[in-house]
Amino acid sequence: MSARLGIDIGGTFTDVVCASERGQISFKVPTTRDDPSRAVTQALAILERDYGIPPAEIWRFAHGTTVATNAVIERKGARLGIVTTEGFGDTLEIGRQMRRQLYDLQLEPETPGWLAPGARRFEVRERIAADGSIVTALDPASVALAIQGLRAARVEAVAVCLLFSFANPAHEQAVATALREALPEVALSLSSEVDPAFREYERTVVTAFDAYIKPLVDAYLARIEGNVASLGMPAPLQVMQSRGGLASATIARERPVRLFLSGPAAGVIGARAEAERAGLRDLITIDIGGTSSDIALVRGGETPVRGEVEIAGYPARVPMLDVVTLGAGGGSIAWLDSAGGLRVGPRSAGAEPGPACYPDGGTEPTVTDASLVLGYLDPEFFANGTVLLDPGRARAAIGRVAQPLGLSVEAAAAGVHRIANSHMADGMRLVSLNRGYDPRDFALVPLGGAGGLHAVPLARELGVRRILIPASPGVLSAAGLLAASIEHEVQGSYTRTLAEASLEEIRRVIADLDAKAEALMARERVGELPLNRHLSADLGYVGQSHYLTVPFDPDGPDPLRVAYDAFETEHHRVNGHATGAPGKLVALRVVLSASQTEAAAPAGPQADAQPGQRRKVVFDGETAACETTILRRAALAPGARLAGPVIIEQPDTTILVPPGWLAQPYDAGNIVLEPEGGAA
């Protein structure tokens, strides 16, 4: 027998999905925050002990992780040095003129100067012009001085960011050669490889991030590979990239910055696959976990890709699925501000100590504590009974905010939920209304352990009339890993106005990008798998410093005109206007992907079907507790129509069906929620 394994590590739980000829298995284990790789070993032990699947039978292993993002947020990366062009040593510190804080009494730095303080930034004498021509040859003596300084500073990683290296990388490559000879143990990142595009500050930041996290990511992936190899697993490790495709661990080590937010990307892939099976191609996904909520929009079965994200408030020019991440989840802490107002998040109790109702949990009130107080959760069935909740501790914690507000514990808990829902609804507006889409035209697909608890209030808030609950939403990020393709994107700079652009030059650039992408795919050992190729171009108006990415076909009729028209349409959708001004090309991109064996939806919960029970529940918008039927999902018959109030429980999530809503299970394992009468 052979099996495929997907493991996604989140802030509170690590999700596991294993598919084999005997069907699919899904479960959760607590995330081991001190060393997340230990949770992988624990999952493998459970697979063998409880399900009879030894590591030797796993031939494919896909992994999603937050280790890259956490390294930046927690500032636990390598001791970093930067080498840059003479006169540009302070680029990382200066940043852009835009500032969020204008009137604060105490201003905080808004650029990541902490990555490499001035004493660890070194300049070399050289100059390349914007067109790639050499103005000043690289001075070997200045390179030697920089190396001497880096050695004295005891750096563990170096980012090389020379001016206009994206137009001509020769000087960066020469500096890299000297660094590898003199400091072979030091991790190295070149801006011409990490982000070959204009805008000096953004290119410096993302290259610095890449070098900063490289040693940590390398050690983390090495631990996982060593652990699974020692257990006899033959599968090579594949890692989810933020763009939504898998890469081998070997290539991921070389480009770790592309692992930012890999977990949220896997969730979107899983939700998209589930919706496709249900015949839905326009949806908003929201992955509500213990520490955060990740929200994305899927249009026509495709998720937009952003060219830049923010990590810990700093720009990271990394291609990734357009996912908005909010500090709102089950572990989000409720607190009172200086004016006595109730707030929720972004601080979270996480897995350690966890919500107050957890065994050995904290004392501060969280959204999960509020859910328990309101009757949403069965304290003995949470996470399939692996975590026993304490209602008394939950009430005591919520009482800490209820008493100062003069509210009952139930009213305060309802307020906590309402505020958390408001934050999440704002995030849904960011990916829909702010992108030019009406959320009422989309179905809502909630996932994550807490997705089913918040789905209906969010749908009401935005006027969404259909909710699709997948078979195992709590582990859908892990399932998405099994549904993902192997994928690589290669970018090349090509800066010309459209009037000056040459199709012959463009085809030469694309041919070079094709060769690089094919070399990456060859290293993935995709064998006979068919490759899908997608070309795109970054366009902007002449004089504009930002750009949009549109499809590009150099062999189609009038390709530059078609690309410009697509850019104008996209500009109008994103920004509300299109000017008709002259356009310019900024960069060209090639994406190659190879689909692997498609993963079916994870099997439904394995828990025993229980007879209907009842308990008192306070639903959103209701002032009094409502006697509510409690059902186990395994007991639901396809085609049944369940009118709220109903709560549907399963090992990985709980689904609330309030009064006025209907739930209908389907053969594929999905449940569709719709308002009675069709009005949300």
Side-chain angles (χ1 to χ4, degrees):
M1 186 180 72
S2 59
R4 293 166 287 140
L5 177 64
I7 297 183
D8 178 67
I9 295 182
T12 304
F13 288 102
T14 292
D15 301 337
V16 183
V17 169
C18 185
S20 69
E21 292 89 340
R22 294 185 301 186
Q24 296 209 60
I25 299 159
S26 61
F27 59 89
K28 292 174 175 283
V29 296
T31 293
T32 48
R33 294 295 295 272
D34 60 322
D35 179 6
S37 66
R38 286 198 297 113
V40 175
T41 307
Q42 291 173 8
L44 291 172
I46 293 171
L47 273 175
E48 184 167 18
R49 183 192 68 211
D50 297 347
Y51 301 100
I53 300 177
E57 294 181 358
I58 297 171
W59 63 271
R60 184 174 155 220
F61 176 25
H63 179 45
T65 178
T66 57
V67 66
T69 309
N70 291 344
V72 174
I73 293 173
E74 298 170 8
R75 301 193 180 185
K76 293 182 177 178
R79 185 175 175 85
L80 178 69
I82 291 181
V83 176
T84 188
T85 301
E86 187 177 56
F88 288 83
D90 292 328
T91 298
L92 189 69
E93 199 102 41
I94 296 170
R96 295 289 173 192
Q97 67 177 3
M98 297 298 294
R99 294 291 185 267
R100 294 185 179 89
Q101 307 170 42
L102 295 178
Y103 305 108
D104 291 4
L105 293 178
Q106 185 172 348
L107 298 179
E108 298 291 334
E110 296 189 35
T111 58
W114 51 269
L115 281 169
R120 298 205 302 268
R121 299 197 294 262
F122 301 91
E123 301 177 2
V124 296
R125 182 169 176 75
E126 65 86 38
R127 190 62 178 262
I128 288 176
D131 62 1
S133 60
I134 296 176
V135 177
T136 303
L138 179 64
D139 176 22
S142 65
V143 176
L145 283 174
I147 291 173
Q148 182 180 337
L150 290 165
R151 182 183 287 113
R154 303 187 309 281
V155 299
E156 299 165 324
V158 177
V160 182
C161 311
L162 303 185
L163 193 65
F164 293 117
S165 62
F166 59 87
N168 181 352
H171 286 177
E172 277 199 357
Q173 292 168 352
V175 171
T177 298
L179 282 167
R180 290 188 179 106
E181 290 176 356
L183 304 171
E185 74 286 355
V186 170
L188 185 61
S189 296
L190 308 184
S191 72
S192 54
E193 296 176 355
V194 174
D195 184 33
F198 81 115
R199 295 181 69 104
E200 191 70 8
Y201 169 63
E202 288 78 3
R203 185 161 55 91
T204 300
V205 170
V206 74
T207 307
F209 277 150
D210 190 78
Y212 180 71
I213 64 176
K214 188 169 280 187
L216 186 143
V217 169
D218 180 75
Y220 171 76
L221 295 179
R223 280 198 303 275
I224 292 182
E225 287 183 311
N227 290 344
V228 300
S230 68
L231 295 172
M233 183 193 293
L237 175 60
Q238 296 178 321
V239 188
M240 174 60 73
Q241 302 175 97
S242 55
R243 201 184 187 282
L246 293 167
S248 67
T250 301
I251 296 177
R253 283 185 172 95
E254 298 171 4
R255 312 193 298 178
V257 75
R258 291 178 179 250
L259 302 186
F260 280 154
L261 304 178
S262 78
V268 176
I269 299 296
R272 195 169 65 191
E274 285 285 299
E276 287 277 2
R277 294 185 187 95
L280 298 174
R281 294 176 60 80
D282 296 332
L283 48 136
I284 297 173
T285 71
I286 179 164
D287 186 348
I288 307 175
T291 58
S292 63
S293 297
D294 303 310
I295 306 167
L297 180 140
V298 177
R299 175 76 169 174
E302 299 293 333
T303 307
V305 175
R306 277 194 291 167
E308 183 175 304
V309 298
E310 278 197 357
I311 302 296
Y314 307 115
R317 202 158 55 180
V318 182
M320 74 162 292
L321 297 184
D322 189 3
V323 178
V324 170
T325 298
L326 307 175
S332 294
I333 293 171
W335 52 284
L336 301 179
D337 62 21
S338 57
L342 180 62
R343 303 292 188 92
V344 178
R347 197 161 57 90
S348 172
E352 298 172 1
C357 59
Y358 276 25
D360 302 319
T363 58
E364 296 182 282
T366 68
V367 176
T368 297
D369 295 311
S371 299
L372 189 56
V373 167
L374 295 171
Y376 298 164
L377 300 175
D378 182 340
E380 297 182 357
F381 191 63
F382 186 75
N384 202 22
T386 60
V387 179
L388 298 179
L389 306 182
D390 186 333
R393 285 174 56 87
R395 292 187 66 86
I398 297 296
R400 296 180 60 178
V401 294
Q403 186 175 7
L405 292 171
L407 298 174
S408 68
V409 172
E410 287 78 10
V416 169
H417 253 262
R418 203 164 296 129
I419 292 170
N421 289 335
S422 178
H423 292 333
M424 296 174 198
D426 286 344
M428 292 171 64
R429 293 185 182 96
L430 284 175
V431 303
S432 55
L433 291 170
N434 282 30
R435 307 283 198 268
Y437 298 113
D438 187 338
R440 294 173 296 183
D441 297 333
F442 294 78
L444 175 62
V445 182
L447 52 146
L453 295 176
H454 299 269
V456 171
L458 293 175
R460 282 174 169 164
E461 181 83 11
L462 280 85
V464 172
R465 291 175 292 278
R466 173 171 286 190
I467 301 169
L468 178 73
I469 310 286
S472 293
V475 294
L476 205 56
S477 289
L481 293 167
L482 297 185
S485 301
I486 297 172
E487 182 180 277
H488 288 294
E489 179 193 74
V490 179
Q491 171 189 344
S493 175
Y494 184 79
T495 307
R496 306 280 192 282
T497 66
L498 291 180
E500 299 169 340
S502 160
L503 281 176
E504 185 178 346
E505 289 179 346
I506 288 172
R507 291 188 180 105
R508 282 201 297 268
V509 173
I510 290 174
D512 180 60
L513 298 179
D514 278 334
K516 292 178 180 178
E518 288 166 3
L520 288 170
M521 294 302 288
R523 294 173 60 189
E524 296 285 1
R525 296 181 291 178
V526 294
E528 300 300 319
L529 290 177
L531 297 181
N532 297 311
R533 177 173 176 262
H534 177 72
L535 299 179
S536 60
D538 296 343
L539 271 72
Y541 291 121
V542 173
Q544 192 177 37
S545 59
H546 293 274
Y547 55 82
L548 295 171
T549 302
V550 297
F552 184 70
D553 180 6
D555 300 318
D558 200 359
L560 295 176
R561 182 73 221 180
V562 170
Y564 178 77
D565 290 344
F567 162 74
E568 285 247 288
T569 299
E570 185 71 358
H571 197 281
H572 188 277
R573 184 186 66 79
V574 173
N575 301 307
H577 68 281
T579 68
K584 66 175 180 181
L585 271 168
V586 176
L588 297 161
R589 300 173 188 268
V590 171
V591 177
L592 285 184
S593 62
S595 296
Q596 303 177 96
T597 304
E598 184 178 353
Q606 304 299 313
D608 294 334
Q610 296 290 325
Q613 301 173 348
R614 297 180 71 82
R615 66 172 176 258
K616 291 187 178 297
V617 177
V618 181
F619 287 96
D620 181 62
E622 303 290 329
T623 56
C626 179
E627 194 74 21
T628 301
T629 299
I630 313 299
L631 300 174
R632 293 285 170 86
R633 188 164 182 169
L636 303 182
R641 290 174 64 84
L642 308 172
V646 171
I647 287 181
I648 302 169
E649 296 178 335
Q650 61 187 81
D652 63 332
T653 195
T654 298
I655 305 163
L656 301 189
V657 187
W661 281 72
L662 295 171
Q664 184 168 355
Y666 285 85
D667 289 330
N670 297 321
I671 293 178
V672 172
L673 305 184
E674 295 177 311
E676 291 185 275

